[in-house]
Amino acid sequence: EFLDDLYKTTGVIINEDLFVTALTASSAQLEINYQKMEFLGDAVLKCVSTTHVFIEYPAYNEHNLFEKSKKYQSNLTLFYCSQELKLPSILLAYVFTKNQWKPSGFKRSSKSKKQEVSHKMIADLVEAAIGASFLTFSKKSINQGVQNSAKLCANWLFESKISPWERSNDLNNRVNEMINKSGLDNEVN
């Protein structure tokens, strides 16, 4: 249901198996967990957020671009994003036991253990989901993987709902304009 809603609202496709992996903590003691997916998602987020601020804030100097990009990558931003998306409610963080299972329509006892996880782990979920969005297409095409994850970041994290890759023509025009103004095009030729 979450992935269907994600596709309807953003056009982002995430493979269901990869998404389950992205939402599974190592503490659940399953064969899969989000850690490698989070590692990849962190790298993709850095690339996409850096590209985003470069395109969106052409007048910023390097320091301001770095600071703005860092805000998108911060655990606090990712934590709030995960809360808004209700990702913690679908996190698999604990070992499942038969005593925890209740058939549909039955209520859990008030003594049921509620999943309590760190803010960092919750932030890692967003990075892992970004990694999953990248991997969904990257085996076919790295470019498609980047586009899919950039669209996810644009919808989840950036003020602009248009991904940096969708603005690439604008970026090319700006870069050419900067090169022409600087006179570098004469030096290259």
Side-chain angles (χ1 to χ4, degrees):
E1 187 178 317
F2 182 90
L3 293 177
D4 291 337
D5 290 343
L6 178 66
Y7 177 72
K8 288 174 190 171
T9 58
T10 67
V12 172
I13 299 169
I14 302 179
N15 173 285
E16 190 173 331
D17 291 338
L18 294 173
F19 191 66
V20 169
T21 300
L23 295 176
T24 304
S26 57
S27 57
Q29 298 180 8
L30 298 172
E31 291 179 19
I32 58 170
N33 71 63
Y34 75 84
Q35 291 174 333
K36 285 174 64 176
M37 202 78 67
E38 182 257 334
F39 170 78
L40 177 63
D42 178 59
V44 171
L45 175 60
K46 285 177 181 167
C47 175
V48 170
S49 62
T50 301
T51 303
H52 174 74
V53 297
F54 183 83
I55 293 168
E56 288 297 311
Y57 306 97
Y60 277 23
N61 64 30
E62 178 188 8
H63 174 75
N64 292 340
L65 290 170
F66 176 76
E67 291 300 319
K68 185 73 169 174
S69 181
K70 224 168 63 170
K71 286 182 183 177
Y72 291 125
Q73 300 164 23
S74 78
N75 285 335
L76 186 62
T77 299
L78 297 172
F79 172 77
Y80 285 127
C81 174
S82 71
Q83 294 298 311
E84 190 175 307
L85 296 165
K86 298 180 177 37
L87 287 178
S89 67
I90 53 178
L91 167 69
L92 303 170
Y94 290 110
V95 177
F96 180 76
T97 66
K98 64 182 180 179
N99 294 336
Q100 294 170 315
W101 182 81
K102 295 289 181 201
S104 180
F106 285 76
K107 293 186 178 181
R108 288 181 175 234
S109 96
S110 58
K111 296 178 184 177
S112 292
K113 187 177 182 182
K114 186 177 179 180
Q115 294 189 112
E116 292 184 28
V117 294
S118 71
H119 289 86
K120 168 79 169 97
M121 182 185 288
I122 300 298
D124 289 348
L125 292 178
V126 177
E127 289 178 330
I130 292 168
S133 71
F134 175 80
L135 284 176
T136 296
F137 287 105
S138 67
K139 289 183 181 176
K140 294 178 187 172
S141 159
I142 295 293
N143 191 35
Q144 280 184 298
V146 171
Q147 287 178 6
N148 197 50
S149 53
K151 194 183 299 183
L152 183 68
C153 291
N155 280 278
W156 283 3
L157 299 169
F158 306 152
E159 297 91 14
S160 166
K161 298 300 182 194
I162 300 171
S163 80
W165 274 258
E166 292 172 308
R167 294 175 182 238
S168 61
N169 287 336
D170 186 41
L171 172 62
N172 288 333
N173 292 338
R174 287 184 195 175
V175 169
N176 287 333
E177 199 175 298
M178 287 188 293
I179 289 172
N180 289 335
K181 284 181 182 177
S182 69
L184 287 174
D185 59 336
N186 295 329
E187 293 175 24
V188 175
N189 294 330

